[in-house]
Amino acid sequence: MTTTELPLLVGVDGSDGSLTAVDWAVDEAARHGVPLRLVYASLWERYEGITLSGDLKRPSEQVLSEHIVASAAERARRREPDVKLSTAVHTSDPVDALLRAADHAFALVTGSRGRGELKGLLLGSVSLAVAARAHCPVIVVRGDRTGLTGGHDRVLLGAGEPASGSAAARFAVREAEVRGATLDAVRAWRCPVHESADTGALAQEPARHHEERALTQLDELLGGPLADHPGLRVRRTTVEGPARKVLVRHSAAADLVVVGARRRQGHIGLQLGRVAHTLLHHAECPVAVVPQHD
């Protein structure tokens, strides 16, 4: 199976957030020319029991799941009839089901908060778990109307270290290219406290050194991914400050923010850095977390 044949997955559960995710995912599938697969998962069998043979009455959660998937599929078809569409209903834990499906996916799209999540939560538990563990890119759809509809014509890359951020850089370049958007590559830098203790001209030297180093790292990170995209509009920016705050601020003028997340071999549990975690909770546009495997 080639990369272009891998489906774009979207988790559905009937919530407003998942319907927004469906709309965004349909557009994304159309842009890349990939199939779209709607996935619903629930442990309803555990709580309602399996119907006995010959019992004509189906569990209410099964009926609900079928209705949710059918409604989402109809919504997707109305939005873009040409996108190849399939559906799947799993009687299993939503996180486990999505992670298994993501092993053979172009990317996985989720809403920012699912059905039954507390309104006070900034991000739903399912979205957070799959973003922190999936082996394919995960896009959590959030933000204002302009960002959700691609009104900014800008893809924001939170530029990491050249050795660990190449997957995110390639993903961001591809997204900017297919959208005809500008790639806004931002590298945050900090001057250590002990180097910035002086004032005046003496303080400018270490700051200049760290800024120049950040620009060099940015050029190194983008060199390979941009080689096959010579016509792509790119804006390189280095900014002093904590990366998570810098990127949240810049996300207000972006259609998608892309960051990397390292996946360590044999590591169990959530693998999500502070920057990605902050963006998933506070960004003003959809967030793509792209795994970088050791």
Side-chain angles (χ1 to χ4, degrees), residues 39-61:
V39 179
Y40 177 93
S42 171
L43 288 170
W44 59 265
E45 282 188 341
R46 175 180 299 178
Y47 303 110
E48 295 200 25
I50 303 174
T51 55
L52 297 176
S53 177
D55 189 347
L56 298 179
K57 183 179 179 182
R58 293 182 298 159
S60 60
E61 184 69 19

Side-chain angles (χ1 to χ4, degrees), residues 171-220:
F171 184 92
V173 166
R174 183 179 62 187
E175 284 295 323
E177 178 79 11
V178 77
R179 294 163 179 264
T182 296
L183 175 65
D184 189 5
V186 176
R187 171 76 180 178
W189 59 274
R190 301 293 300 275
C191 187
V193 175
H194 69 275
E195 294 183 18
S196 59
D198 295 321
T199 58
L202 291 176
Q204 296 178 7
E205 291 303 321
R208 186 178 299 114
H209 165 73
H210 288 287
E211 184 176 13
E212 291 175 353
R213 182 170 180 269
L215 185 58
T216 298
Q217 291 175 322
L218 187 53
D219 289 339
E220 182 181 347

Side-chain angles (χ1 to χ4, degrees), residues 162-170 260-264 290-294:
S164 60
S166 59
R170 290 193 301 271
R262 295 184 67 182
R263 297 287 188 263
R264 295 175 175 83
V290 182
Q292 178 80 38
H293 300 283
D294 287 347

Side-chain angles (χ1 to χ4, degrees), residues 17 67 105 133 152 183 188 205:
H67 172 72
R133 293 167 55 191
H152 296 293
L183 175 65
E205 291 303 321

